[in-house]
Amino acid sequence: MTTDPDALRDRIAGHFLPNAPERLAVAVSGGSDSLGLLVVLNDWRLAGGPALQAVTVDHQLRPEAAQEAAKVAADCERLGVPHDILTWTDWDGRGNLQDQARRARYGLMAQWARRQGIACIAIAHTADDQAETFLMRLARGAGVDGLSAMSERFESHGVTFCRPALAVFRHELRAVLEGRGMTWVEDPSNEDPRYERVKARAALRELAPLGITAAGLLAVARRMSDVRQTLYLYALEAARQHVRIQSGDLIVDRPGFDGLPRETARRILQTSLKWISGAEYVPRGRALDDLLEAIAEGRDMTLQGCLVTLRKDHLRITREWKAVASERCKVTDVWDGRWRLEGPDIAGAELRALGKNGLLQCVGRRETGLPAASLIAGPSAWRGDELLAAPLAGLENGWRAILIRDEEAYFTSFLSH
């Protein structure tokens, strides 16, 4: 791969073409990958590309972090790129630090971008990251999904995150920085053998004499992505034949589902659970294997905030009551990320899950054809302890429930992996 700055600029710009955004944000930690991406994107800006803004998240986990963010700010000032620093203050010392920090980072950046009116943030994942991730997942016994290449873009918190450097190697970005006389930050964790990614990086160096290189693993990951996409197309075709929507629940034809190849069935379940729960990730590994086993044995099971119930001729996937029991919002807002209720303007009204006590007040609940487990986890309007309406349970009182993630959104989601 060339390290000619103009050629590299054109390769990275090609990720956004033909519909390049008018404004683009770039996440910059100060490391070589993100700083190199900033410089290349700024070259594109100067050549007529999008207006550019940079953002850095200070997790306040290392004493040097503030100084590193300040260095990024100084680099941005020299380049003429507006820059903001966001601070994460919510770490409580419990749980998976890296996972929480990553989720917080994306959440903070997305919130910042929405305030700026920016729809797309570029992040500096490279071909080296692809290869390292492949090895890490291979060590965990991952299947097709886990071994597939990272997606070039994904949606999170209402913002699109783009990875325009996935085909670019780290040394190419460093060559650009060295050519400009720019230095970058070396995170000490990048040399800490306790971290899985550091181990993968070391393993790649050891495997090189066998011809197992980052470029080779990248090619394999891309082929796995093609296989993954094909499997989801088969799953989409099967879902159109065997799945229907009833008042926000998914009804899956049991004989049809039982006859599907296991990989197809897995993808239907993954997509269905994510569509109902609105979760950021689909369930994988042992959790999904347990669900498939429960279905084969005719046992009900909960997973990812959803309840899967088994009947002779169908299985029903609905929202789990416990997952929404504390969900409350204004009547003008979307409840549980997927329901909107429209009705009379009543002061003090709010949306909640119907619950068992609310269900008892719905005299027409049996005529709806929905089971109690679905109804109690459905949306309803309340004013204090007074139930105003529960349209799904037959208590309308001038209200109606609108499903935000509709049937087309369900089937389209098979193509968005």
Side-chain angles (χ1 to χ4, degrees):
M1 290 292 184
T2 180
T3 53
D4 175 73
D6 291 341
L8 186 56
R9 176 200 66 201
D10 292 342
R11 284 167 55 200
I12 287 180
H15 168 89
F16 300 95
L17 300 177
N19 300 310
E22 293 183 3
R23 301 174 66 199
L24 178 64
V26 55
V28 187
S29 67
S32 62
D33 297 355
S34 61
L35 191 60
L37 180 60
L38 166 68
V39 170
V40 174
L41 289 175
N42 189 54
D43 287 349
W44 185 28
R45 175 183 71 88
L46 296 174
L52 191 63
Q53 287 184 244
V55 60
T56 300
V57 177
D58 178 2
H59 296 91
Q60 296 192 323
L61 298 175
R62 296 184 295 112
E64 306 85 0
Q67 183 178 354
E68 293 166 359
K71 180 188 179 300
V72 174
D75 288 334
C76 288
E77 185 175 6
R78 283 192 290 273
L79 293 171
V81 176
H83 174 259
D84 287 311
I85 299 173
L86 311 177
T87 303
W88 183 45
T89 59
D90 294 336
W91 170 240
D92 59 6
R94 295 180 294 179
N96 185 321
L97 171 58
Q98 287 189 319
D99 182 64
Q100 289 190 38
R102 179 186 58 80
R103 291 175 183 269
R105 181 165 62 251
Y106 285 122
L108 285 170
M109 289 193 295
Q111 186 180 51
W112 167 84
R114 292 197 304 270
R115 289 197 304 266
Q116 303 290 326
I118 297 173
C120 182
I121 302 175
I123 52 179
H125 289 140
T126 65
D128 299 272
D129 293 313
Q130 291 258 44
E132 293 158 10
T133 299
F134 183 95
L135 277 184
M136 290 158 58
R137 292 177 175 173
L138 184 64
R140 299 175 199 153
V144 171
D145 289 358
L147 298 179
S148 297
M150 297 180 191
S151 60
E152 292 189 350
R153 58 188 64 211
F154 63 93
E155 302 291 325
S156 182
H157 303 282
V159 173
T160 300
F161 287 87
C162 298
R163 296 179 172 121
L166 279 180
V168 175
F169 288 91
R170 185 168 293 123
H171 71 82
E172 297 180 86
L173 293 172
R174 289 187 172 184
V176 170
L177 295 175
E178 290 167 347
R180 312 287 172 95
M182 297 179 67
T183 60
W184 57 86
V185 172
E186 290 287 3
D187 187 335
S189 67
N190 289 334
E191 301 299 328
D192 190 337
R194 293 176 299 175
Y195 290 104
E196 189 180 16
R197 187 168 294 278
V198 177
K199 294 177 182 177
R201 199 167 296 158
L204 268 174
R205 291 192 292 267
E206 295 297 323
L207 291 169
L210 295 176
I212 301 176
T213 64
L217 294 182
L218 175 60
V220 174
R222 286 174 171 166
R223 293 188 189 103
M224 295 299 277
S225 291
D226 292 340
V227 174
R228 182 175 186 247
Q229 188 62 32
T230 300
L231 290 173
Y232 271 109
L233 287 173
Y234 281 123
L236 170 61
E237 181 180 348
R240 289 195 182 278
Q241 293 180 30
H242 303 302
V243 183
R244 62 184 175 88
I245 296 176
Q246 182 188 34
S247 300
D249 289 358
L250 292 173
I251 312 299
V252 186
D253 174 65
R254 183 80 184 276
F257 181 84
D258 289 345
L260 293 175
R262 187 176 178 86
E263 283 296 324
T264 304
R266 286 176 69 92
R267 281 162 175 75
I268 287 179
L269 290 176
Q270 287 176 323
T271 303
S272 298
L273 293 170
K274 185 178 180 182
W275 179 78
I276 287 178
S277 68
E280 186 176 356
Y281 298 104
V282 298
R284 291 178 177 153
R286 186 61 207 171
L288 202 61
D289 289 339
D290 289 344
L291 177 57
L292 284 165
E293 184 177 332
I295 292 172
E297 296 174 355
R299 293 185 287 109
D300 297 349
M301 180 173 165
T302 59
L303 181 61
Q304 204 172 35
C306 298
L307 171 65
V308 181
T309 55
L310 279 295
R311 298 295 180 267
K312 184 177 180 179
D313 61 343
H314 72 273
L315 61 92
R316 178 184 292 268
I317 308 175
T318 189
R319 199 65 160 119
E320 182 188 7
W321 153 250
K322 289 182 179 179
V324 293
S326 61
E327 287 287 324
R328 286 170 167 74
C329 70
K330 298 177 182 178
V331 291
T332 53
D333 293 340
V334 175
W335 183 78
D336 191 31
R338 66 186 193 126
W339 287 107
R340 186 183 297 280
L341 262 61
E342 293 184 352
D345 184 10
I346 300 176
E350 66 175 5
L351 302 185
R352 308 178 200 163
L354 180 59
K356 293 181 180 179
N357 291 335
L359 183 62
L360 293 175
Q361 301 178 51
C362 300
V363 294
R365 60 186 181 274
R366 291 182 176 83
E367 283 69 37
T368 66
L370 292 170
S374 298
L375 295 175
I376 64 173
S380 57
W382 296 75
R383 182 173 55 188
D385 294 332
E386 178 189 2
L387 175 62
L388 301 174
L392 298 184
L395 184 66
E396 296 180 351
N397 288 340
W399 295 73
R400 67 186 185 116
I402 302 170
L403 186 62
I404 301 300
R405 294 198 290 271
D406 59 9
E407 181 178 63
E408 190 55 37
Y410 171 69
F411 290 117
T412 300
S413 62
F414 282 87
L415 305 177
S416 61
H417 294 272

